[in-house]
């Protein structure tokens, strides 16, 4: 028998530092764990500070009944107005990814999360930051989160398990102070 193999290739822009895309199933779990209240709604405003190719941002939109074309990634026509009014801000360092996010109907508010100065505090932050700067990104997220807000962060486990730098020690102290829940996903 003849077996046909299909490969999907994704080109990563040269300026995409530490780009590790969030798997769709994990993005879904991260976003749906934010839902709250009688009507299972998402808290707003929401920030995606390392938006990359938009996996987490698309999962946020999907949970808010905002749909994107499965092939192009662009907003479905019926979702354009809802997307404009939905409070999701994206930040992305890569100029190529920023252009793609904008084309796909996402509001991109800045290019570098670590230099971002928000005008509002965020009720929810969902992120998959560059692993090499995970501690710095999570500390910044804690700073721009509104009191009582929620953060879902995909992070290299060693950042938490091994507080070997002052930055990681500060992060560990902040997480302990907030009584944060850390879940480890098996390899």
């Amino acid at each position: 028998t003849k077996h046909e193999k299909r490969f999907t290739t994704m080109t990563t822009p040269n300026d995409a530092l530490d780009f590790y895309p969030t798997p769709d199933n994990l993005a879904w779990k991260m976003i749906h764990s934010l839902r709250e209240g009688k009507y299972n709604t998402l808290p707003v405003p929401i920030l995606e500070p390392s938006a990359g190719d938009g996996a987490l941002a698309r999962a946020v939109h999907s949970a808010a009944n905002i749909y994107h074309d499965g092939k192009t990634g662009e907003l479905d026509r019926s979702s354009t107005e809802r997307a404009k009014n939905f409070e999701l801000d994206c930040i992305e360092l890569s100029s190529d990814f920023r252009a793609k996010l904008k084309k796909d109907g996402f509001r991109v508010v800045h290019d570098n999360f670590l230099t971002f100065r928000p005008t509002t505090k965020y009720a929810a932050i969902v992120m998959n930051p560059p692993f090499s700067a995970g501690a710095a990104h999570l500390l910044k997220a804690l700073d721009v989160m509104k009191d009582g807000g929620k953060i879902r962060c995909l992070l290299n486990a060693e950042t938490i398990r091994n507080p070997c730098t002052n930055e990681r020690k500060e992060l560990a102290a902040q997480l302990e102070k907030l009584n944060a829940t850390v879940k480890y996903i098996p390899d």
Side-chain angles (χ1 to χ4, degrees):
T1 40
K2 191 175 186 179
H3 295 281
E4 180 182 332
K5 290 186 178 182
R6 294 183 186 191
F7 297 95
T8 303
T9 59
M10 183 180 75
T11 306
T12 303
N14 291 333
D15 62 349
L17 176 68
D18 284 346
F19 176 66
Y20 300 99
T22 308
D24 289 339
N25 63 333
L26 184 54
W28 186 90
K29 287 178 186 178
M30 290 171 71
I31 302 312
H32 285 271
S33 72
L34 292 170
R35 292 178 171 267
E36 59 190 16
K38 181 179 177 182
Y39 298 104
N40 230 3
T41 58
L42 292 173
V44 289
I46 299 174
L47 176 66
E48 209 299 33
S50 322
D53 67 353
L56 286 170
R58 278 190 309 277
V60 169
H61 269 184
S62 179
N65 298 315
I66 299 168
Y67 301 104
H68 293 257
D69 182 280
K71 291 181 182 175
T72 67
E74 294 178 24
L75 277 172
D76 179 272
R77 287 181 191 232
S78 64
S79 294
T80 303
E81 198 59 36
R82 279 195 309 276
K84 284 181 187 174
N85 295 321
F86 188 73
E87 296 180 72
L88 170 63
D89 291 343
C90 295
I91 297 173
E92 175 50 44
L93 195 57
S94 164
S95 58
D96 289 344
F97 279 150
R98 277 195 313 276
K100 172 87 170 105
L101 290 163
K102 289 176 184 177
K103 182 178 179 238
D104 291 351
F106 294 104
R107 183 174 48 244
V108 178
V109 297
H110 200 63
D111 59 352
N112 184 340
F113 181 50
L114 297 178
T115 63
F116 178 56
R117 293 202 168 127
T119 57
T120 186
K121 295 277 190 170
Y122 289 91
I125 301 172
V126 292
M127 59 196 292
N128 178 358
F131 283 5
S132 66
H137 280 247
L138 187 47
L139 283 166
K140 176 76 173 196
L142 292 169
D143 185 51
V144 301
M145 178 185 68
K146 119 185 348 182
D147 286 345
K150 299 177 179 185
I151 295 176
R152 299 299 182 266
C153 179
L154 180 59
L155 201 59
N156 179 331
E158 284 302 300
T159 301
I160 304 295
R161 287 184 183 144
N162 186 10
C164 59
T165 65
N166 287 338
E167 189 174 58
R168 287 182 179 188
K169 288 174 185 171
E170 181 184 347
L171 178 59
Q174 288 277 351
L175 294 175
E176 186 176 327
K177 178 181 167 189
L178 292 168
N179 198 26
T181 302
V182 176
K183 292 183 181 180
Y184 294 98
I185 299 170
D187 295 336

